[in-house]
Amino acid sequence: MVAGIHHITLITRKVQANVDFYAGFLGLRLVKRTGGFEDVTQLHLLYGDAVGSPGSLVTFLVWEDGSPGRAGVGQVGEISLAIAPMSIGFWLTRALSAGLKPEGPSEEFGEPVLRLKDPDGVIVKLVGTNVLQTTAPWTSDSIPQEHAINRIRGATLFSETPEETQAMLVDHFDYRPQATSGAISRLVSAPGDILDIRDARGFWASAPGTGTVDHVAFRANDDAELQSVRTALQAINSWPTAMHDRKYFRSLYVREPGRILFELATDAPGMLIDEDEATLGTRLFAPDDSPKLLAELNVILPQFSMPGEPRVIYRDLPFIHRFFTPEQPNGNIFILLHGSGANETTMLPIAHKIDADATLLSVRGRALEEGAPRWFRRTGPMSFDQADIVSEAEAFAAFIDGAIHAYGLDPDRIVYIGYSNGANLLNAMLSLHPHLIRRAVLLRSMAVLADPPPADMSDADVLVIAGEKDMYGPYAQPLAGRLRDGGAKVEVATVSAGHELDDEDVRVIQAWLK
């Protein structure tokens, strides 16, 4: 076995803040950006040294605007990165200058340690040690090479079964006991990285989510070694293990007796299999790298800018939202509202098909039904909470006003595109907040206000698209009639689809926009 840590994977809630901290403040190199292997619509970022060497990799699953978790029993509580001992002062000064609140320096197992928290609240320790050096240093203009982070120093494991956790690491992952300090037992690998096992009996329970560590991965030579470890784990009735091809390495996962997730990953083929060293981390990859999939992912996955590049500054507004800026914006703006059970990413691909150069603002509804987002509550399949419609329409109107000012949107260039439940909120808003929505596309929509107030909709231009096979199709004409009664200009189109959206909707909307 090569031994030692291959990578550590965490979960982040805000990709831009994450990039600013790990690439900007810590000076790690972004060596890979991919769609996730378990969920391709989840962004996965990998940071490391100049070539993404095993042992230098800190990776993040991006759960943009996801729920925060809590580090506790059965999780990794801290991660640590190796720096030169003389660099502690440099990093303390850098942290204070950046407005962070470092703790320390202190001493742990004879090493100087500076504690920081990343934007998600994860404890990141900078540890002064000469044991671990990098063979591929990565530096930035503000971090001289002598102060740069070398690689991963280790991690702290919170275990309710510390003896059993230690036994698995010693027996199957080639760690050996080094020292004990209070409730912490330190293990060390042959290359010199460490695992601190904290006796966490009586600690609070962990909760999965953003701001937590997903797993620690250890290094293996090849597939034969993976299979050998798997066979040994199965022989002791360990948690079921499965082999995976992650393109940049092959691996297996296992939970140790304390329920902490471990991975064993091969060194090869490595980060340079699909990029050369000069361009590492500059383009998006996906498990099968099909052009169609990559085109969709470039719109669906959250955008971010590298340190020093222009960026969109997200604002704290009443609705969770995603803002997509194309490479060459043409000035058109689509504000997108999803259907029941979807989220702020769902409408992005179809909107991008309609106009690849339009700026997209896609919003998530706040009403939840069995945990899935909607725009307002319903009391039955065809009946709706009227007070909730009014309340959410008012909140959404305030959101639009805030977004226009925060993102510099031109109201004359905005087209609202809503699908199903999202379209139903839009048609209600035409009555409740006249003159706010001037151009709207209502896909698979029906009127939901039981007693709409009189409203002047004379400045509204609306396209209603029904599905020929959609059970809600017959509601399109009554909706159009109600809007026309308010003075709106309404065009009704029927496509051959059912309730789902397809390319015929795209063509109809494109023709209407022209």
Side-chain angles (χ1 to χ4, degrees):
M1 181 177 284
V2 176
I5 292 173
H6 184 282
H7 66 268
I8 298 177
T9 294
L10 304 91
I11 305 169
T12 183
R13 186 174 188 273
K14 289 291 186 184
V15 65
Q16 186 62 71
N18 183 268
V19 171
D20 288 343
F21 182 81
Y22 285 91
F25 174 75
L26 290 180
L28 300 177
R29 185 178 192 184
L30 178 62
V31 296
K32 199 67 61 181
R33 56 182 86 184
T34 77
F37 286 89
E38 298 294 336
D39 177 3
V40 72
T41 63
Q42 179 182 82
L43 182 62
H44 189 186
L45 300 182
L46 291 81
Y47 303 94
D49 63 13
V51 295
S53 306
S56 74
L57 296 167
V58 181
T59 91
F60 284 87
L61 304 172
V62 179
W63 294 8
E64 193 74 2
D65 293 307
S67 299
R70 178 179 60 192
V73 170
Q75 281 189 345
V76 177
E78 305 170 327
I79 68 170
S80 57
L81 304 173
I83 58 174
M86 67 173 185
S87 297
I88 289 289
F90 169 86
W91 283 100
L92 176 60
T93 301
R94 184 172 173 84
L96 292 171
S97 299
L100 302 179
K101 297 178 180 178
E103 293 183 14
S106 59
E107 186 177 289
E108 296 181 12
F109 292 91
E111 297 174 330
V113 174
L114 188 67
R115 267 185 167 79
L116 304 169
K117 284 189 177 180
D118 80 357
D120 289 294
V122 174
I123 295 175
V124 179
K125 299 193 295 187
L126 300 181
V127 180
T129 177
N130 290 316
V131 174
L132 298 163
Q133 300 294 327
T134 180
T135 57
W138 179 254
T139 60
S140 66
D141 292 341
S142 59
I143 304 175
Q145 182 171 331
E146 64 268 22
H147 297 309
I149 289 167
N150 288 319
R151 50 158 293 165
I152 294 170
R153 174 57 172 148
T156 303
L157 315 180
F158 291 168
S159 177
E160 277 188 313
T161 58
E163 296 85 3
E164 295 176 67
T165 301
Q166 176 169 316
M168 173 173 271
L169 289 165
V170 170
D171 295 343
H172 299 284
F173 297 104
D174 281 5
Y175 278 82
R176 56 181 174 81
Q178 185 184 56
T180 299
S181 177
I184 298 176
S185 298
R186 171 161 289 190
L187 307 183
V188 63
S189 71
D193 60 49
I194 55 92
L195 291 173
D196 288 338
I197 303 174
R198 175 178 283 276
D199 185 342
R201 283 173 284 206
F203 270 37
W204 51 87
S206 61
T210 60
T212 64
V213 178
D214 187 72
H215 65 267
V216 177
F218 305 111
R219 297 172 67 182
N221 274 311
D222 50 32
D223 291 352
E225 188 168 25
L226 285 183
Q227 187 57 56
S228 174
V229 174
R230 184 186 188 196
T231 300
L233 291 171
Q234 289 172 331
I236 60 170
N237 297 316
S238 186
W239 188 72
T241 61
M243 306 280 278
H244 300 276
D245 185 349
R246 299 308 196 203
K247 184 178 180 181
Y248 307 106
F249 49 84
R250 289 171 297 282
S251 71
L252 66 83
Y253 292 90
V254 63
R255 286 196 186 273
E256 52 82 40
R259 306 302 295 166
I260 300 167
L261 183 61
F262 293 151
E263 184 180 14
L264 186 63
T266 60
D267 278 4
M271 299 296 119
L272 297 174
I273 188 174
D274 52 13
E275 292 180 282
D276 59 34
E277 183 176 341
T279 61
L280 273 179
T282 59
R283 56 169 289 215
L284 177 69
F285 292 90
D288 64 6
D289 286 337
S290 74
K292 181 180 179 182
L293 175 61
L294 286 171
E296 286 195 0
L297 291 179
N298 271 308
V299 182
I300 291 173
L301 297 178
Q303 289 182 308
F304 63 90
S305 300
M306 294 301 293
E309 294 178 349
R311 81 260 312 272
V312 171
I313 305 298
Y314 268 80
R315 306 300 181 178
D316 187 12
L317 296 172
F319 287 77
I320 291 171
H321 56 284
R322 185 72 58 82
F323 196 85
F324 173 80
T325 305
E327 289 185 9
Q328 296 181 320
N330 60 12
N332 294 333
I333 303 153
F334 294 163
I335 295 181
L336 311 173
L337 286 75
H338 60 77
S340 298
N343 60 36
E344 68 277 14
T345 68
T346 313
M347 295 288 290
L348 289 168
I350 192 169
H352 193 61
K353 285 183 180 179
I354 294 167
D355 185 349
D357 295 321
T359 297
L360 309 178
L361 175 58
S362 192
V363 193
R364 185 194 301 178
R366 305 191 304 178
L368 295 179
E369 187 172 277
E370 297 181 353
R374 284 177 51 83
W375 291 95
F376 48 83
R377 291 189 294 266
R378 57 184 169 187
T379 54
M382 302 294 287
S383 57
F384 309 98
D385 185 328
Q386 298 297 300
D388 200 43
I389 295 173
V390 172
S391 175
E392 289 304 293
E394 184 175 359
F396 191 71
F399 167 83
I400 293 301
D401 182 64
I404 286 172
H405 290 91
Y407 296 119
L409 308 181
D410 182 353
D412 294 330
R413 303 294 297 273
I414 294 175
V415 178
Y416 296 81
I417 303 177
Y419 167 61
S420 191
N421 182 240
N424 295 344
L425 181 73
L426 290 178
N427 76 55
M429 292 189 67
L430 286 163
S431 295
L432 297 170
H433 297 274
H435 313 300
L436 175 65
I437 297 173
R438 300 174 192 174
R439 301 190 81 192
V441 178
L442 309 179
L443 294 147
R444 317 297 189 267
S445 189
M446 63 179 291
V448 290
L449 286 175
D451 187 20
D456 175 14
M457 307 180 202
S458 57
D459 57 356
D461 191 358
V462 182
L463 171 62
V464 177
I465 305 181
E468 187 177 46
K469 304 168 189 174
D470 183 15
M471 63 177 291
Y472 296 100
Y475 294 94
Q477 288 294 349
L479 170 62
R482 178 180 288 191
L483 298 176
R484 289 187 182 113
D485 289 345
K489 177 184 176 183
V490 183
E491 181 178 330
V492 180
T494 301
V495 296
S496 58
H499 195 67
E500 74 284 353
L501 302 178
D502 71 10
D503 287 341
E504 193 175 352
D505 292 293
V506 173
R507 291 190 290 271
V508 171
I509 295 170
Q510 288 172 333
W512 178 77
L513 288 172
K514 292 178 181 178

